[in-house]
Amino acid sequence: MFSTGDDPAARLRHELHTPLTSILAYTRLLRDDLAGAPAADALTDGVACLDAIDRNAVRLQRYVDGVVLPLAAADGSGDAAGDGGGSHRLGATDLVAVLRDAVDLARRVAVAGAVSIHADAPATVLVAVDDLVCRHLVGQLVLWLATSAPSRAHIEIALRADPVPAIDAKIVAHGELTAPQPRPSDPQRPADLRVARAVASLCGGEVRLDETSFRLTLPASVLATVSQRTP
């Protein structure tokens, strides 16, 4: 164990990484024990579950280091937009692939409430956002809308590349033309969506939302801009 002193960033990193490190260590111990046991379907399923926990814990560690800590540092310094998004705007991520995976997950969650989801998107939309950050952001928003929708509602999602990459999503009631009132809010939802807004801003984008819809805009990648100008 090491001392974090009075450095807020060090304390925050310590507080976030300590439980994740414990999860990873214990998960890997359990996985090693199961892997050495006699083969059985139940044990095989157990190893697969532990592998999933391990992967998700590693992803959370990357998210903490790549998003949460820089966001906290930017907020503390009052210079959230000082570097235009920093490392979160490097490279190119296919927003279509990210949205497809987010919708697939949301459909599995929404099936309990008989909520249908339809997404319309072009073949490829490249954005200048780190892939992991983009998946967390889009997945969080789509999943929030799916869990907010009342039973038998329908969710329409449209992804467009022009004039800027944008995802528009809204809840439409079954048999109605207007959006319904959502189910009672999850007590943690407002805090979660404040994080989504902050992460989008850090990436050079924006989130606008109300109780039944959201619009997410993200910066187009350099590759997308070049390809549009090429004859």
Side-chain angles (χ1 to χ4, degrees):
M1 194 67 66
F2 60 90
S3 172
T4 58
D6 294 325
D7 184 355
R11 288 201 307 272
L12 181 60
R13 187 180 192 281
H14 174 71
E15 290 173 4
L16 292 173
H17 268 273
T18 296
L20 289 173
T21 301
S22 300
I23 290 170
L24 282 169
Y26 192 61
T27 298
R28 290 170 183 178
L29 284 173
L30 290 175
R31 187 177 56 187
D32 290 343
D33 289 343
L34 288 178
D41 290 341
L43 293 178
T44 301
D45 292 341
V47 171
C49 290
L50 292 172
D51 285 341
I53 294 172
D54 187 277
R55 289 195 302 273
N56 286 325
V58 171
R59 289 183 64 189
L60 281 173
Q61 281 188 329
R62 290 180 57 197
Y63 188 67
V64 166
D65 289 336
V67 178
V68 177
L69 294 179
L71 186 61
D75 181 65
S77 65
D79 189 27
D83 63 353
S87 61
H88 312 300
R89 298 186 60 181
L90 296 176
T93 295
D94 184 2
L95 190 56
V96 175
V98 170
L99 178 61
R100 181 181 61 242
D101 291 344
V103 169
D104 286 344
L105 175 60
R107 281 174 176 156
R108 292 197 291 271
V109 173
V111 69
V115 175
S116 59
I117 304 174
H118 173 75
D120 179 36
T124 303
V125 177
L126 297 179
V127 292
V129 181
D130 176 78
D131 182 79
L132 179 64
V133 175
C134 193
R135 288 181 180 278
H136 273 282
L137 179 58
V138 174
Q140 184 180 40
L141 290 169
V142 173
L143 194 59
W144 160 73
L145 201 59
T147 54
S148 296
S151 297
R152 299 183 62 78
H154 179 66
I155 296 176
E156 286 285 345
I157 302 176
L159 168 59
R160 296 291 179 263
D162 296 317
V164 295
I167 298 175
D168 288 287
K170 63 181 179 180
I171 301 172
V172 179
H174 181 69
E176 298 180 11
L177 296 177
T178 56
Q181 292 297 317
R183 295 195 295 264
S185 300
D186 183 330
Q188 293 185 348
R189 182 171 62 86
D192 288 342
L193 296 180
R194 283 198 297 269
V195 171
R197 287 193 186 98
V199 171
S201 177
L202 188 66
C203 294
E206 182 183 23
V207 175
R208 297 180 183 178
L209 57 109
D210 55 30
E211 292 84 355
T212 58
S213 68
F214 74 80
R215 176 179 175 82
L216 169 65
T217 59
L218 293 171
S221 72
V222 175
L223 294 177
T225 303
V226 171
S227 64
Q228 291 171 1
R229 294 178 179 175
T230 302

